[in-house]
Amino acid sequence: MTIQQLEVFAKIVETGSFTKSGEALMFTQSAISHIISGLEEELGFPLLYRNRNGICITEEGKVILQH
């Protein structure tokens, strides 16, 4: 787990969008998705639910975000 991964995760929650967080952090949407996928794989659980309407943070994601 890196600081960059946590910053990206926090920005996604803040903006509610992979695309908007990528624009804010100067990454492509694809890079943002890759960073979060890597973090979720390392942790062993999903942090975000993705759907047509955007994203929703999981209960585990809320715990990680608090720290």
Side-chain angles (χ1 to χ4, degrees):
M1 181 181 329
T2 67
I3 297 292
Q4 181 185 53
Q5 288 173 315
L6 296 174
E7 288 174 344
V8 167
F9 173 58
K11 186 58 78 173
I12 292 169
V13 173
E14 178 187 325
T15 64
S17 165
F18 279 55
T19 301
K20 289 178 185 175
S21 61
E23 290 170 357
L25 297 171
M26 300 181 56
F27 287 110
T28 63
Q29 181 275 329
S30 177
I32 293 291
S33 183
H34 184 73
I35 290 167
I36 290 301
S37 293
L39 179 58
E40 290 175 328
E41 185 175 323
E42 184 176 335
L43 293 171
F45 51 81
L47 299 171
L48 302 164
Y49 293 121
R50 298 137 176 102
N51 61 40
R52 288 186 202 166
N53 299 326
I55 58 105
C56 182
I57 189 168
T58 65
E59 290 301 316
E60 294 86 355
K62 289 176 184 177
V63 172
I64 296 294
L65 189 61
Q66 289 177 2
H67 295 287

Coordinates of all heavy atoms in Angstrom, one line a residue:
M1 N 0.8 -1.2 0.0 CA 0.0 0.0 0.0 C 0.9 1.2 0.0 O 1.8 1.3 0.8 CB -0.9 0.0 1.3 CG -1.8 1.1 1.3 SD -2.9 1.2 2.8 CE -3.1 -0.5 3.2
T2 N 0.6 2.1 -0.9 CA 1.4 3.3 -1.0 C 0.6 4.6 -0.7 O -0.7 4.5 -0.8 CB 2.0 3.5 -2.4 OG1 0.9 3.8 -3.3 CG2 2.8 2.3 -2.9
I3 N 1.3 5.7 -0.4 CA 0.6 6.9 -0.2 C -0.2 7.3 -1.4 O -1.3 7.8 -1.3 CB 1.6 8.1 0.2 CG1 2.3 7.7 1.5 CG2 0.9 9.4 0.2 CD1 1.4 7.8 2.7
Q4 N 0.4 7.1 -2.6 CA -0.3 7.5 -3.8 C -1.6 6.7 -4.0 O -2.6 7.3 -4.4 CB 0.6 7.2 -5.0 CG 0.0 7.5 -6.4 CD 0.8 7.1 -7.5 OE1 1.2 5.9 -7.6 NE2 1.1 8.0 -8.4
Q5 N -1.6 5.4 -3.7 CA -2.9 4.6 -3.8 C -3.9 5.2 -2.8 O -5.1 5.3 -3.2 CB -2.6 3.2 -3.4 CG -1.8 2.4 -4.5 CD -1.5 1.0 -4.0 OE1 -1.0 0.9 -2.9 NE2 -1.7 0.1 -4.9
L6 N -3.5 5.6 -1.6 CA -4.5 6.1 -0.6 C -5.0 7.5 -1.1 O -6.2 7.8 -0.9 CB -3.8 6.2 0.7 CG -3.5 4.8 1.3 CD1 -2.7 5.0 2.6 CD2 -4.7 4.0 1.5
E7 N -4.1 8.3 -1.6 CA -4.5 9.6 -2.2 C -5.5 9.5 -3.3 O -6.5 10.2 -3.3 CB -3.3 10.4 -2.6 CG -2.4 10.9 -1.5 CD -1.2 11.6 -2.0 OE1 -0.8 11.4 -3.2 OE2 -0.5 12.3 -1.2
V8 N -5.3 8.5 -4.2 CA -6.2 8.3 -5.3 C -7.6 7.8 -4.7 O -8.6 8.3 -5.1 CB -5.6 7.3 -6.3 CG1 -6.7 6.8 -7.3 CG2 -4.4 7.9 -7.0
F9 N -7.5 6.9 -3.8 CA -8.8 6.4 -3.2 C -9.6 7.5 -2.5 O -10.8 7.7 -2.8 CB -8.4 5.3 -2.2 CG -9.6 4.8 -1.4 CD1 -10.7 4.3 -2.0 CD2 -9.6 4.9 0.0 CE1 -11.8 3.9 -1.3 CE2 -10.7 4.5 0.7 CZ -11.8 4.0 0.1
A10 N -8.9 8.4 -1.8 CA -9.6 9.5 -1.1 C -10.1 10.5 -2.1 O -11.3 11.0 -1.9 CB -8.6 10.2 -0.2
K11 N -9.4 10.7 -3.2 CA -9.9 11.6 -4.2 C -11.1 11.1 -5.0 O -12.1 11.8 -5.3 CB -8.8 12.0 -5.2 CG -9.1 13.0 -6.2 CD -9.5 14.4 -5.6 CE -8.4 15.2 -5.1 NZ -8.7 16.5 -4.6
I12 N -11.1 9.8 -5.2 CA -12.3 9.1 -5.8 C -13.5 9.3 -5.0 O -14.6 9.7 -5.4 CB -12.0 7.6 -6.1 CG1 -11.0 7.5 -7.2 CG2 -13.3 6.9 -6.5 CD1 -10.5 6.1 -7.4
V13 N -13.4 9.1 -3.7 CA -14.5 9.2 -2.7 C -14.9 10.7 -2.7 O -16.1 11.0 -2.7 CB -14.1 8.7 -1.3 CG1 -15.2 9.0 -0.3 CG2 -13.8 7.2 -1.4
E14 N -14.0 11.6 -2.7 CA -14.3 13.0 -2.7 C -15.1 13.5 -3.9 O -16.1 14.2 -3.8 CB -13.0 13.8 -2.5 CG -13.2 15.3 -2.5 CD -11.9 16.1 -2.6 OE1 -10.9 15.6 -2.0 OE2 -11.8 17.1 -3.2
T15 N -14.6 13.0 -5.1 CA -15.2 13.5 -6.3 C -16.4 12.6 -6.8 O -17.2 13.1 -7.6 CB -14.2 13.6 -7.5 OG1 -13.7 12.2 -7.7 CG2 -13.0 14.5 -7.1
G16 N -16.4 11.4 -6.3 CA -17.4 10.5 -6.8 C -17.2 9.9 -8.2 O -18.1 9.4 -8.8
S17 N -16.0 10.1 -8.7 CA -15.7 9.7 -10.1 C -14.3 9.4 -10.3 O -13.4 10.1 -9.8 CB -16.1 10.9 -11.0 OG -15.6 10.8 -12.2
F18 N -14.0 8.3 -11.0 CA -12.7 7.9 -11.4 C -12.1 9.0 -12.4 O -11.0 9.4 -12.3 CB -12.7 6.6 -12.1 CG -12.7 5.4 -11.2 CD1 -13.7 5.3 -10.2 CD2 -11.7 4.4 -11.3 CE1 -13.7 4.2 -9.4 CE2 -11.7 3.3 -10.4 CZ -12.7 3.2 -9.5
T19 N -13.0 9.5 -13.3 CA -12.5 10.4 -14.3 C -12.2 11.8 -13.6 O -11.1 12.3 -13.9 CB -13.6 10.6 -15.4 OG1 -13.9 9.4 -16.0 CG2 -13.2 11.6 -16.4
K20 N -13.1 12.3 -12.8 CA -12.8 13.6 -12.1 C -11.6 13.5 -11.2 O -10.8 14.4 -11.1 CB -14.0 14.0 -11.3 CG -15.2 14.4 -12.2 CD -16.4 14.8 -11.4 CE -17.5 15.2 -12.3 NZ -18.8 15.4 -11.5
S21 N -11.4 12.4 -10.5 CA -10.2 12.2 -9.7 C -9.0 12.2 -10.5 O -7.9 12.7 -10.1 CB -10.4 11.0 -8.8 OG -10.4 9.8 -9.5
G22 N -9.0 11.5 -11.6 CA -7.9 11.5 -12.6 C -7.5 12.9 -13.0 O -6.3 13.2 -13.1
E23 N -8.5 13.7 -13.4 CA -8.3 15.0 -13.8 C -7.6 15.8 -12.7 O -6.7 16.6 -12.9 CB -9.6 15.7 -14.3 CG -10.1 15.1 -15.6 CD -11.5 15.6 -15.9 OE1 -12.1 16.3 -15.1 OE2 -12.0 15.2 -17.0
A24 N -8.1 15.7 -11.5 CA -7.6 16.4 -10.4 C -6.2 16.0 -10.0 O -5.4 16.9 -9.6 CB -8.5 16.2 -9.1
L25 N -5.9 14.8 -10.2 CA -4.5 14.3 -9.8 C -3.6 14.1 -11.0 O -2.5 13.7 -10.9 CB -4.7 12.9 -9.1 CG -5.4 12.9 -7.8 CD1 -5.7 11.5 -7.3 CD2 -4.7 13.7 -6.8
M26 N -4.1 14.5 -12.2 CA -3.3 14.5 -13.4 C -2.9 13.1 -13.8 O -1.8 12.8 -14.2 CB -2.1 15.4 -13.4 CG -2.6 16.9 -13.1 SD -1.4 18.2 -13.1 CE -0.5 18.0 -14.6
F27 N -3.9 12.1 -13.7 CA -3.8 10.8 -14.2 C -4.9 10.5 -15.2 O -6.0 11.1 -15.1 CB -3.9 9.8 -13.0 CG -2.8 9.7 -12.1 CD1 -2.9 10.2 -10.8 CD2 -1.6 9.1 -12.5 CE1 -1.9 10.1 -9.9 CE2 -0.5 9.0 -11.6 CZ -0.7 9.5 -10.3
T28 N -4.7 9.5 -16.0 CA -5.8 9.1 -16.9 C -6.8 8.3 -16.0 O -6.5 7.7 -15.0 CB -5.3 8.2 -18.1 OG1 -4.8 7.0 -17.5 CG2 -4.3 9.0 -18.9
Q29 N -8.0 8.1 -16.6 CA -9.0 7.3 -15.9 C -8.5 5.9 -15.8 O -8.7 5.2 -14.8 CB -10.4 7.4 -16.6 CG -11.5 6.6 -16.0 CD -11.5 5.1 -16.4 OE1 -11.1 4.8 -17.5 NE2 -12.0 4.3 -15.5
S30 N -7.9 5.4 -16.8 CA -7.3 4.1 -16.8 C -6.3 3.9 -15.7 O -6.2 2.8 -15.0 CB -6.7 3.8 -18.2 OG -6.1 2.5 -18.2
A31 N -5.4 4.9 -15.5 CA -4.4 4.8 -14.5 C -5.0 4.8 -13.1 O -4.6 4.0 -12.2 CB -3.4 6.0 -14.6
I32 N -6.1 5.6 -12.9 CA -6.8 5.6 -11.6 C -7.4 4.2 -11.4 O -7.3 3.7 -10.2 CB -7.9 6.7 -11.7 CG1 -7.3 8.1 -11.7 CG2 -8.8 6.6 -10.5 CD1 -6.5 8.5 -10.5
S33 N -8.0 3.7 -12.3 CA -8.6 2.3 -12.2 C -7.6 1.3 -11.9 O -7.8 0.4 -11.0 CB -9.3 2.0 -13.5 OG -10.0 0.7 -13.3
H34 N -6.4 1.3 -12.5 CA -5.4 0.4 -12.3 C -4.8 0.5 -10.8 O -4.6 -0.4 -10.1 CB -4.2 0.6 -13.3 CG -3.1 -0.4 -13.2 ND1 -3.2 -1.7 -13.6 CD2 -1.9 -0.2 -12.7 CE1 -2.1 -2.3 -13.3 NE2 -1.2 -1.4 -12.8
I35 N -4.7 1.8 -10.4 CA -4.1 2.0 -9.0 C -5.1 1.5 -8.0 O -4.7 0.8 -7.0 CB -3.9 3.5 -8.8 CG1 -2.7 4.0 -9.6 CG2 -3.7 3.9 -7.3 CD1 -2.6 5.5 -9.8
I36 N -6.4 1.7 -8.2 CA -7.4 1.2 -7.2 C -7.5 -0.3 -7.2 O -7.6 -1.0 -6.2 CB -8.8 1.9 -7.4 CG1 -8.7 3.3 -7.0 CG2 -9.9 1.2 -6.6 CD1 -8.3 3.6 -5.5
S37 N -7.4 -0.9 -8.4 CA -7.5 -2.3 -8.5 C -6.3 -3.0 -7.8 O -6.5 -4.0 -7.1 CB -7.5 -2.8 -10.0 OG -8.7 -2.4 -10.6
G38 N -5.1 -2.4 -7.9 CA -3.9 -2.9 -7.2 C -4.1 -2.8 -5.7 O -3.7 -3.7 -5.0
L39 N -4.7 -1.7 -5.3 CA -4.9 -1.5 -3.8 C -5.9 -2.5 -3.3 O -5.7 -3.2 -2.3 CB -5.3 -0.1 -3.5 CG -5.6 0.2 -2.1 CD1 -4.4 0.0 -1.2 CD2 -6.1 1.7 -1.9
E40 N -7.0 -2.7 -4.0 CA -8.0 -3.7 -3.6 C -7.4 -5.1 -3.6 O -7.7 -5.9 -2.7 CB -9.2 -3.6 -4.5 CG -10.0 -2.3 -4.3 CD -11.2 -2.1 -5.3 OE1 -11.0 -2.6 -6.5 OE2 -12.2 -1.6 -4.9
E41 N -6.6 -5.4 -4.6 CA -6.0 -6.7 -4.7 C -5.1 -7.0 -3.5 O -5.1 -8.0 -2.9 CB -5.3 -6.9 -6.0 CG -4.7 -8.3 -6.2 CD -4.1 -8.5 -7.6 OE1 -4.6 -7.9 -8.6 OE2 -3.0 -9.2 -7.6
E42 N -4.3 -6.0 -3.2 CA -3.4 -6.1 -2.1 C -4.1 -6.2 -0.7 O -3.7 -7.0 0.1 CB -2.5 -4.8 -2.0 CG -1.4 -4.9 -1.0 CD -0.5 -3.6 -1.0 OE1 -0.4 -3.0 -2.1 OE2 0.1 -3.3 0.1
L43 N -5.2 -5.5 -0.6 CA -6.0 -5.6 0.7 C -6.8 -6.8 0.7 O -7.1 -7.3 1.8 CB -6.8 -4.3 0.8 CG -6.1 -3.0 1.0 CD1 -7.1 -1.9 0.9 CD2 -5.4 -3.0 2.4
G44 N -7.2 -7.3 -0.4 CA -8.0 -8.6 -0.4 C -9.5 -8.3 -0.3 O -10.3 -9.3 -0.1
F45 N -10.0 -7.1 -0.5 CA -11.4 -6.8 -0.5 C -11.6 -5.5 -1.3 O -10.8 -4.7 -1.5 CB -11.9 -6.7 0.9 CG -11.2 -5.7 1.8 CD1 -11.4 -4.3 1.7 CD2 -10.2 -6.2 2.7 CE1 -10.6 -3.5 2.5 CE2 -9.5 -5.4 3.5 CZ -9.7 -4.0 3.5
P46 N -12.9 -5.4 -1.8 CA -13.2 -4.2 -2.6 C -13.4 -3.0 -1.7 O -13.9 -3.1 -0.6 CB -14.5 -4.5 -3.3 CG -15.1 -5.6 -2.5 CD -14.0 -6.3 -1.8
L47 N -12.9 -1.8 -2.2 CA -13.1 -0.5 -1.5 C -14.3 0.2 -2.1 O -14.9 1.0 -1.4 CB -11.8 0.3 -1.6 CG -10.6 -0.3 -1.0 CD1 -9.4 0.5 -1.4 CD2 -10.7 -0.4 0.5
L48 N -14.6 0.0 -3.3 CA -15.6 0.7 -4.0 C -16.5 -0.2 -4.9 O -16.0 -1.2 -5.4 CB -15.0 1.7 -5.0 CG -14.1 2.7 -4.4 CD1 -13.2 3.4 -5.5 CD2 -14.8 3.8 -3.6
Y49 N -17.8 0.0 -4.9 CA -18.7 -0.6 -5.8 C -18.8 0.3 -7.0 O -19.0 1.5 -6.9 CB -20.1 -0.9 -5.2 CG -20.0 -1.9 -4.1 CD1 -20.5 -1.5 -2.8 CD2 -19.6 -3.2 -4.3 CE1 -20.5 -2.4 -1.8 CE2 -19.6 -4.1 -3.3 CZ -20.1 -3.7 -2.0 OH -20.1 -4.6 -1.0
R50 N -18.7 -0.2 -8.2 CA -18.8 0.5 -9.4 C -20.1 0.2 -10.1 O -20.4 -1.0 -10.2 CB -17.6 0.3 -10.4 CG -16.3 0.7 -9.8 CD -15.3 -0.5 -10.1 NE -13.9 -0.2 -9.6 CZ -13.4 -0.7 -8.5 NH1 -14.1 -1.5 -7.7 NH2 -12.2 -0.4 -8.2
N51 N -20.9 1.2 -10.6 CA -22.1 0.9 -11.4 C -22.3 2.1 -12.4 O -21.5 3.0 -12.4 CB -23.3 0.7 -10.5 CG -23.6 1.9 -9.6 OD1 -23.5 3.1 -10.1 ND2 -24.0 1.7 -8.4
R52 N -23.3 2.0 -13.1 CA -23.6 3.0 -14.1 C -23.8 4.4 -13.6 O -23.5 5.4 -14.2 CB -24.9 2.7 -14.9 CG -24.8 1.5 -15.8 CD -26.1 1.4 -16.6 NE -26.2 0.0 -17.1 CZ -27.3 -0.5 -17.5 NH1 -28.4 0.3 -17.6 NH2 -27.4 -1.7 -17.9
N53 N -24.2 4.5 -12.3 CA -24.5 5.8 -11.7 C -23.3 6.4 -11.0 O -23.3 7.4 -10.4 CB -25.6 5.7 -10.7 CG -26.9 5.2 -11.4 OD1 -27.2 5.6 -12.5 ND2 -27.7 4.4 -10.7
G54 N -22.2 5.7 -11.0 CA -21.0 6.1 -10.4 C -20.4 5.1 -9.4 O -20.4 3.9 -9.7
I55 N -19.9 5.6 -8.3 CA -19.2 4.7 -7.3 C -19.9 4.8 -6.0 O -20.6 5.8 -5.7 CB -17.7 5.0 -7.2 CG1 -17.5 6.4 -6.7 CG2 -17.0 4.7 -8.5 CD1 -17.1 6.5 -5.3
C56 N -19.8 3.8 -5.2 CA -20.3 3.8 -3.8 C -19.2 3.1 -3.0 O -18.7 2.1 -3.3 CB -21.6 3.0 -3.8 SG -22.3 2.9 -2.1
I57 N -18.9 3.7 -1.9 CA -17.8 3.2 -1.0 C -18.4 2.0 -0.2 O -19.5 2.0 0.3 CB -17.2 4.3 -0.1 CG1 -16.0 3.8 0.7 CG2 -18.3 4.8 0.8 CD1 -15.2 4.9 1.3
T58 N -17.6 1.0 0.0 CA -17.9 -0.2 0.8 C -17.7 0.1 2.2 O -17.1 1.1 2.6 CB -17.1 -1.4 0.4 OG1 -15.7 -1.2 0.7 CG2 -17.2 -1.8 -1.1
E59 N -18.2 -0.8 3.1 CA -18.0 -0.6 4.5 C -16.5 -0.7 4.9 O -16.0 0.1 5.7 CB -18.8 -1.6 5.3 CG -20.3 -1.4 5.3 CD -20.7 -0.1 5.9 OE1 -20.2 0.4 6.9 OE2 -21.6 0.6 5.2
E60 N -15.8 -1.6 4.2 CA -14.4 -1.7 4.4 C -13.7 -0.5 3.9 O -12.7 0.0 4.5 CB -13.8 -3.0 3.7 CG -14.3 -4.3 4.2 CD -15.7 -4.7 3.6 OE1 -16.3 -4.0 2.8 OE2 -16.1 -5.9 3.9
G61 N -14.1 0.1 2.8 CA -13.6 1.3 2.3 C -13.7 2.4 3.3 O -12.8 3.3 3.4
K62 N -14.9 2.5 3.9 CA -15.1 3.6 4.9 C -14.1 3.5 6.1 O -13.6 4.5 6.5 CB -16.5 3.5 5.5 CG -17.6 3.9 4.5 CD -18.9 3.7 5.1 CE -20.0 4.0 4.0 NZ -21.4 3.8 4.6
V63 N -13.8 2.2 6.5 CA -12.8 2.0 7.5 C -11.4 2.5 7.1 O -10.7 3.2 7.8 CB -12.7 0.6 8.0 CG1 -11.6 0.3 8.9 CG2 -14.1 0.2 8.6
I64 N -11.0 2.1 5.9 CA -9.7 2.5 5.3 C -9.6 4.0 5.2 O -8.6 4.7 5.6 CB -9.4 1.8 4.0 CG1 -9.4 0.3 4.1 CG2 -8.2 2.4 3.3 CD1 -8.2 -0.2 4.9
L65 N -10.7 4.7 4.7 CA -10.7 6.1 4.5 C -10.5 6.9 5.9 O -9.9 7.9 5.9 CB -12.0 6.5 3.9 CG -12.1 8.0 3.4 CD1 -11.1 8.3 2.4 CD2 -13.5 8.2 2.8
Q66 N -11.1 6.3 6.9 CA -11.0 7.0 8.3 C -9.5 7.0 8.7 O -9.1 8.0 9.4 CB -11.8 6.3 9.3 CG -13.3 6.4 9.1 CD -14.1 5.6 10.2 OE1 -13.5 5.0 11.0 NE2 -15.4 5.7 10.0
H67 N -8.7 6.0 8.3 CA -7.4 6.0 8.8 C -6.5 6.7 7.8 O -5.4 7.1 8.1 CB -6.9 4.5 8.9 CG -7.7 3.8 10.0 ND1 -7.5 4.1 11.3 CD2 -8.7 2.9 10.0 CE1 -8.3 3.3 12.1 NE2 -9.0 2.6 11.3

